[in-house]
Each structure stands twice: as C-alpha cells, then as structure tokens.
Amino acid sequence: MLVKCSVDTFEYENTSNSVSLVPRLEYSINLLNDIIDILKIKRHTLKKSNKDLVSDFNDADDIFLKAIELERIIVFSLEILFQIQKRIGCISSVYNIPELLPSAIPLIRITSAQLFEIIPHCSQKLSELSVHLGSIVLDSAVLTKARFDFSQSNEESSILLDEVKLMVNSKINKQYPNLDFFKLCNT
C-alpha cells in the first residue's frame, strides 16, 4: 500500500547531496591514512639513520645538518597531518564540516609543498586530498548555508602551524640534545 507523501524538492536535494559527502569523506580519510603511513616509515628510517650519524658529527658536516633538517620536515608534516586527522575525526554531522575543515586546506597545501622534492608521490596525494576536502567543505557550506571568513580560517591555520613548529623543534632538540641544531642552521 502506498501512502501519498509530499516531499519538498529542496530537502530531498540536501539529503541526497549530504549523503554524497560521506563516500568522499571516507575516501579522504583513507588517503590521509595512507600518506601518514608512508611518512611514519620515512620518519623511522631517517631517525635510525640520523642516530648513526650523530656519533660521527662534525660541525662542518653539512650532510648531517641536511639529514636532521629532512627529519624535521618529515616530523613537521606528520604532526600537521595528525592535527588534520583529529579534526576530521571530530566531524559528527554535515554542520561540523564548515567549522572544522576550512583551516585544514592551507595546512595540507603547505605540507604538500614541503614534501614536493623529498617525497613527490606524497606531495601529489596531499594535493589530491586538498582538492577532495575543499570540495567537501564547499558542498557542506552550500547544504548548511554556512559562510566563510577566510581571514579567520587563515589565522587558525597560522596559529596551528606555529604550534606545530614549536612542538617539532622541541622534539628534534630533545632527540639530539648535544647538538645546537638551530644555532648551527642559522650560522
């Protein structure tokens, strides 16, 4: 038996569009997890290699400083991606997306740029992730009638970027306590 129902087309469009966000968000989560796994392996390899180099450290050894800087970039990239992973994990509805994700897009792009010459395939995957999350943010904003304040989003990104930089610099300094890495890099 059929019951006659009146379905408002606008509500139907919102529901179907909101449902289409879920597979894209899941794909983005999987892509992010893949990138994190690759960077974890790279970090482990660099950390092990750099520990071997510490015993033979020479102030004039540019190779060691470059190796430490490479490790710092990988750790920085991982920490940024962990922060983005946390934000995505906080999404409970389509209404959270415009609040949580806009500031993640510039962070992904910065990370992608840093990895471009080091791990090109990760950089490419991050660019893809940026496009997917950007489309999810825009579609969710349309559905929820959200408005963006790009200056606030950029400010949030900058604050998080600064926090992660401090955290990573602290980790690297603790990992190599006998080296004044940042003083050596600035000379």
Side-chain angles (χ1 to χ4, degrees):
M1 173 183 276
L2 287 174
V3 178
K4 288 190 174 185
C5 293
S6 164
V7 177
D8 185 348
T9 355
F10 184 71
E11 286 179 26
Y12 176 75
E13 285 178 21
N14 279 345
T15 304
S16 74
N17 285 336
S18 130
V19 170
S20 75
L21 292 176
V22 174
R24 289 189 288 156
L25 190 56
E26 286 176 358
Y27 177 79
S28 297
I29 291 168
N30 290 333
L31 188 59
L32 179 61
N33 290 339
D34 289 346
I35 297 164
I36 288 172
D37 289 343
I38 292 167
L39 291 177
K40 281 180 178 178
I41 292 168
K42 184 72 171 174
R43 178 190 60 191
H44 177 73
T45 304
L46 283 170
K47 191 174 182 179
K48 186 177 178 183
S49 171
N50 287 346
K51 278 188 178 183
D52 295 340
L53 287 173
V54 168
S55 60
D56 300 329
F57 177 68
N58 177 353
D59 284 355
D61 190 1
D62 195 39
I63 293 171
F64 181 70
L65 294 177
K66 287 181 181 178
I68 298 288
E69 176 61 13
L70 181 60
E71 184 178 350
R72 190 195 65 75
I73 290 169
I74 298 299
V75 172
F76 173 80
S77 299
L78 267 171
E79 290 300 328
I80 288 290
L81 297 179
F82 288 148
Q83 294 298 320
I84 292 167
Q85 195 175 45
K86 283 180 191 175
R87 285 178 182 235
I88 291 173
C90 291
I91 295 171
S92 60
S93 76
V94 72
Y95 292 95
N96 294 116
I97 295 172
E99 298 168 8
L100 294 171
L101 290 186
S103 60
I105 308 303
L107 295 173
I108 293 170
R109 290 182 179 151
I110 289 168
T111 306
S112 176
Q114 284 197 328
L115 295 175
F116 182 74
E117 290 185 11
I118 301 168
I119 312 173
H121 66 282
C122 275
S123 176
Q124 183 178 8
K125 287 183 176 200
L126 284 166
S127 293
E128 181 183 350
L129 179 63
S130 171
V131 169
H132 283 286
L133 290 179
S135 72
I136 290 169
V137 168
L138 287 176
D139 289 350
S140 66
V142 168
L143 294 171
T144 62
K145 298 179 182 167
R147 294 181 184 213
F148 292 113
D149 182 352
F150 289 108
S151 63
Q152 180 184 350
S153 179
N154 287 339
E155 190 175 318
E156 288 174 18
S157 294
S158 293
I159 290 169
L160 185 59
L161 193 65
D162 289 342
E163 289 172 0
V164 170
K165 280 181 185 178
L166 287 172
M167 186 172 51
V168 168
N169 290 344
S170 175
K171 281 184 178 184
I172 295 295
N173 278 332
K174 284 180 186 175
Q175 189 172 330
Y176 304 104
N178 296 331
L179 306 174
D180 193 357
F181 171 66
F182 299 101
K183 184 177 178 184
L184 291 171
C185 286
N186 292 329
T187 57

